[in-house]
Amino acid sequence: MALDLQALNEDVPSPDELAIEGVGNAESLREYVDVAKVGFELPEVVAQAFSDAFGALGLAGDGPARHYVGRLDREAVASATLVLMAGVAGI
């Protein structure tokens, strides 16, 4: 799937209570994995493997993979990963 970002409608509102934060520490990584585990129905062993791998690769936000948690009224309700490689962004 591809999208021309120049054609993206940026006027679609998001809820005022929604905040998107970068995963930058062990606590936000745990929340990221917990949300992904529920959303993708991941077995605990797979969720733990993700947590271990993402933690080992670093959470500074300067590598090719950047992880995000969406919070609605401060509760983690969404997770996403952005991968930047070879001039392409993948989510």
Side-chain angles (χ1 to χ4, degrees):
M1 178 183 345
L3 174 68
D4 178 357
L5 296 180
Q6 299 301 319
L8 184 64
N9 180 0
E10 296 183 45
D11 295 328
V12 176
S14 63
D16 290 336
E17 305 83 15
L18 177 65
I20 299 172
E21 303 170 354
V23 171
N25 58 46
E27 175 63 21
S28 58
L29 176 59
R30 183 192 60 75
E31 292 175 308
Y32 170 97
V33 171
D34 286 348
V35 170
K37 184 170 84 172
V38 171
F40 291 106
E41 299 178 352
L42 300 175
E44 182 59 38
V45 66
V46 174
Q48 187 60 52
F50 277 140
S51 183
D52 293 345
F54 293 161
L57 291 173
L59 302 173
D62 55 358
R66 297 161 193 200
H67 311 289
Y68 300 90
V69 172
R71 299 181 186 282
L72 193 58
D73 291 326
R74 291 185 241 154
E75 179 184 352
V77 296
S79 62
T81 296
L82 171 67
V83 179
L84 303 168
M85 295 182 81
V88 177
I91 53 172

